[in-house]
């Protein structure tokens, strides 16, 4: 069976799961099967079928599991968002449609040779730093929950950091491909652009007060540096630099201090009292309210979960128990309704995606493709770890999104661009291998 036919079968399976999830949620919420809800699943299946047809024409040798996994994750995300707020789900499915349009456009644009991006590595590198700093500009940046991640332009607002992440990966893939030999020799002058990335990560942390974006940016840098040179010493030195810089900034930024304090001590008497009284002003008077309620939500799910549509996320008065549940804490909502078994299965999907992505990087024939595939996959994996780890108190909580699942247009668009690039790398690698 050809790769594209296997992809089609996987998409059919993902579509059946989507229909079942939407149907179960509809019955749980309304006691009847609402036809418009199933129509949403049909629309989503139709959009992914169109994407599959385009992949057949533009990347016929690409990995057959990446697109179906993305489709299944998207279906899970839309289901839980619909369960929390149908209006948000309507907006999210529109963003998924736009994201798939961008996915198709990327495939068509770069179908002949995506390596043309190598020529613009310095432009993309500078652009990534500019995009990371945009939210800190007066009159342009928008502060949400104490961090400046958004840019507002008229009626639209978006997170430029999502696009900056892609630009950074392409820059690093191109630069490290050119300099990997001399970097392995340890010549200091060749580390100039890389040290600039470290400085930019620290500057982002200062300007936006967001630990997550800085950690993601610098983590991608270290991962790709290790992939290019194989020198664990560089990773250790980079981690030491980041820890030293973050430690220094910890004493200067109250927002970072709050995040670390909530991570280490969410159960202090004052915070538990605030949680039990149900006060929702968690940002000023109850910093750990959101995290504590999220942990209660996960615990309430047990092993098997409450069932889709049957979780408890509001009080009897209709007040949300966990603020910003469909973005930062969507994993806790899924863990409650799907339980430990379902949440673990969801993480297994991410692991399979990462494993297939790393396989793409391993079989790629040229240095740029190898590093691009590894960078895209590692960025995807690290982002998942940071947000899930924050919800589970493994690392300090950050404001980044869970790929393909969390509510938000910027993240959806960036994820589909990364998926398209990964499929293009896979297509070239498999086609080259079959020619030999």
């Amino acid at each position: 069976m050809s790769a594209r036919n296997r992809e089609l079968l996987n998409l059919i399976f993902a579509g059946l799961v989507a229909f079942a999830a939407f149907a179960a949620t509809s019955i749980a919420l309304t006691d009847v099967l609402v036809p418009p809800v199933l129509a949403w699943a049909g629309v989503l299946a139709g959009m992914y079928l169109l994407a599959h047809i385009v992949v057949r024409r533009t990347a016929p040798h690409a990995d057959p599991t990446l697109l179906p996994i993305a489709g299944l994750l998207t279906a899970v995300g839309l289901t839980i968002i619909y369960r929390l707020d149908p209006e948000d789900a309507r907006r999210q499915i529109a963003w998924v449609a736009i994201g798939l349009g961008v996915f198709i456009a990327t495939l068509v644009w770069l179908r002949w040779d995506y390596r043309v991006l190598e020529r613009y590595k310095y432009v993309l590198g500078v652009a990534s730093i500019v995009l990371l700093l945009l939210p800190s500009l007066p009159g342009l940046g928008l502060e949400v929950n104490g961090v400046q991640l958004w840019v507002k332009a008229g009626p639209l607002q978006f997170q430029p950091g999502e696009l900056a992440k892609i630009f950074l990966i392409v820059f690093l893939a191109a630069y490290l491909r050119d300099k990997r030999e001399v970097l392995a020799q340890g010549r200091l002058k060749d580390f100039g652009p890389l040290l600039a990335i470290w400085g930019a990560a620290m500057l982002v942390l200062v300007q936006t007060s967001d630990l997550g974006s800085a950690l993601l940016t610098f983590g991608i840098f270290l991962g790709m540096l290790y992939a290019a040179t194989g020198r664990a010493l560089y990773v250790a030195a980079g981690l030491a630099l980041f820890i030293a810089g973050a430690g220094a900034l910890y004493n200067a930024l109250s927002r970072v201090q709050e995040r670390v304090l909530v991570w280490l001590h969410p159960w202090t008497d004052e915070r538990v009292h605030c949680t039990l009284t149900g006060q929702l002003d968690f940002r000023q008077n109850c910093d750990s309210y959101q995290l504590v309620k999220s942990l209660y939500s996960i615990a309430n799910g047990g092993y098997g979960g409450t069932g889709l549509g049957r979780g408890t996320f509001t009080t009897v008065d209709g007040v949300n128990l966990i603020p910003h549940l469909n973005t930062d804490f969507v994993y806790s909502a899924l863990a409650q309704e799907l339980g430990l078994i379902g949440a673990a299965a969801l993480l297994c999907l991410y692991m399979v995606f990462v494993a297939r992505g790393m396989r793409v990087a391993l079989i790629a024939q040229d240095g740029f493709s190898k590093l691009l595939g590894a960078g895209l996959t590692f960025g995807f994996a690290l982002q998942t770890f940071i947000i899930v780890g924050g919800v589970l108190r493994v690392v300090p909580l950050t404001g980044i999104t869970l790929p393909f699942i969390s509510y938000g247009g910027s993240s959806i668009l960036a994820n589909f661009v990364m998926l398209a690039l990964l499929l293009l790398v896979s297509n070239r690698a498999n086609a080259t291998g079959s020619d030999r």
Side-chain angles (χ1 to χ4, degrees):
M1 184 181 293
S2 69
R4 298 284 61 80
N5 287 338
R6 294 201 304 273
E7 180 180 84
L8 181 59
L9 287 178
N10 290 333
L11 281 173
I12 291 173
F13 172 76
L16 293 175
V17 173
F19 274 100
F22 273 107
T25 303
S26 174
I27 293 171
L29 294 177
T30 64
D31 293 327
V32 294
L33 185 57
V34 181
V37 175
L38 291 183
W40 287 19
V43 169
L44 182 64
M47 290 190 295
Y48 269 95
L49 180 60
L50 176 62
H52 164 74
I53 293 171
V54 174
V55 172
R56 274 186 179 271
R57 299 299 300 271
T58 58
H61 303 286
D63 188 282
T65 60
L66 295 175
L67 184 63
I69 290 176
L72 188 53
L73 292 174
T74 305
V76 171
L78 281 171
T79 301
I80 196 67
I81 292 170
Y82 168 77
R83 181 260 177 276
L84 298 173
D85 188 338
E87 287 301 319
D88 283 345
R90 289 188 180 91
R91 287 189 286 269
Q92 183 74 349
I93 200 168
W95 278 115
V96 171
I98 296 171
L100 282 169
V102 173
F103 168 82
I104 291 171
T106 304
L107 287 176
V108 172
W109 175 40
L110 298 173
R111 67 188 184 279
W112 300 118
D113 194 356
Y114 58 87
R115 294 178 301 174
V116 68
L117 298 173
E118 244 187 310
R119 304 174 190 171
Y120 308 101
K121 57 179 178 288
Y122 291 110
V123 173
L124 294 173
V126 173
S128 67
I129 296 175
V130 171
L131 286 169
L132 287 172
L133 295 177
L134 274 183
S136 63
L137 297 179
L140 190 61
L142 179 66
E143 182 175 314
V144 179
N145 299 327
V147 294
Q148 291 179 301
L149 295 176
W150 298 86
V151 167
K152 187 174 179 62
L156 298 177
Q157 62 183 46
F158 65 98
Q159 285 184 276
E162 294 288 348
L163 184 59
K165 173 178 61 180
I166 301 172
F167 285 178
L168 175 66
I169 291 171
V170 177
F171 161 73
L172 288 173
Y175 183 81
L176 291 172
R177 184 250 184 191
D178 288 342
K179 301 290 185 178
R180 61 192 306 174
E181 289 84 4
V182 292
L183 287 175
Q185 297 171 6
R187 297 197 314 186
L188 187 60
K189 67 177 184 178
D190 296 305
F191 283 87
L194 303 181
L195 292 175
I197 298 295
W198 171 79
M202 294 297 102
L203 190 58
V204 167
L205 183 56
V206 172
Q207 294 293 330
T208 65
S209 300
D210 181 59
L211 184 63
S213 295
L215 182 59
L216 181 61
T217 300
F218 198 66
I220 290 172
F221 158 60
L222 287 182
M224 294 187 68
L225 180 62
Y226 178 74
T229 64
R231 300 285 294 274
L233 178 63
Y234 292 164
V235 177
L239 285 174
L241 279 173
F242 184 83
I243 293 171
L249 294 174
Y250 169 83
N251 297 318
L253 299 175
S254 60
R255 179 64 180 175
V256 177
Q257 292 175 12
E258 291 172 6
R259 290 291 176 116
V260 174
L261 180 62
V262 167
W263 172 49
L264 295 175
H265 307 289
W267 306 104
T268 60
D269 291 341
E270 178 183 356
R271 298 182 192 281
V272 171
H273 172 72
C274 183
T275 300
L276 293 177
T277 58
Q279 187 168 349
L280 293 177
D281 191 7
F282 61 92
R283 193 160 56 85
Q284 296 181 359
N285 300 323
C286 188
D287 295 326
S288 65
Y289 175 88
Q290 195 179 24
L291 179 58
V292 168
K293 284 298 184 183
S294 171
L295 295 173
Y296 285 150
S297 174
I298 295 171
N300 189 47
Y303 285 102
T306 61
L308 287 172
R310 301 184 185 278
T312 303
F313 302 116
T314 60
T315 65
V316 292
D317 299 324
V319 179
N320 290 329
L321 289 173
I322 308 175
H324 308 288
L325 182 60
N326 60 0
T327 53
D328 299 357
F329 284 87
V330 70
Y331 183 77
S332 65
L334 287 165
Q336 181 178 161
E337 298 203 338
L338 300 178
L340 175 62
I341 296 172
L346 184 69
L347 293 181
C348 285
L349 279 178
Y350 282 110
M351 291 172 66
V352 172
F353 188 99
V354 171
R356 300 299 294 188
M358 286 302 179
R359 179 184 178 277
V360 169
L362 286 172
I363 65 175
Q365 301 299 319
D366 62 281
F368 176 71
S369 297
K370 283 182 176 292
L371 290 170
L372 182 60
L376 292 169
T377 305
F378 183 74
F380 185 89
L382 183 60
Q383 181 169 339
T384 303
F385 170 77
I386 290 173
I387 185 59
V388 174
V391 171
L392 298 178
R393 278 192 66 217
V394 176
V395 295
L397 184 65
T398 63
I400 61 178
T401 57
L402 188 60
F404 291 111
I405 289 182
S406 292
Y407 174 76
S410 303
S411 176
I412 285 290
L413 296 181
N415 290 333
F416 278 116
V417 171
M418 293 173 70
L419 176 62
L421 290 173
L422 199 53
L423 286 175
L424 288 169
V425 174
S426 173
N427 178 64
R428 180 177 178 81
N430 289 326
T432 304
S434 64
D435 290 341
R436 291 191 167 190

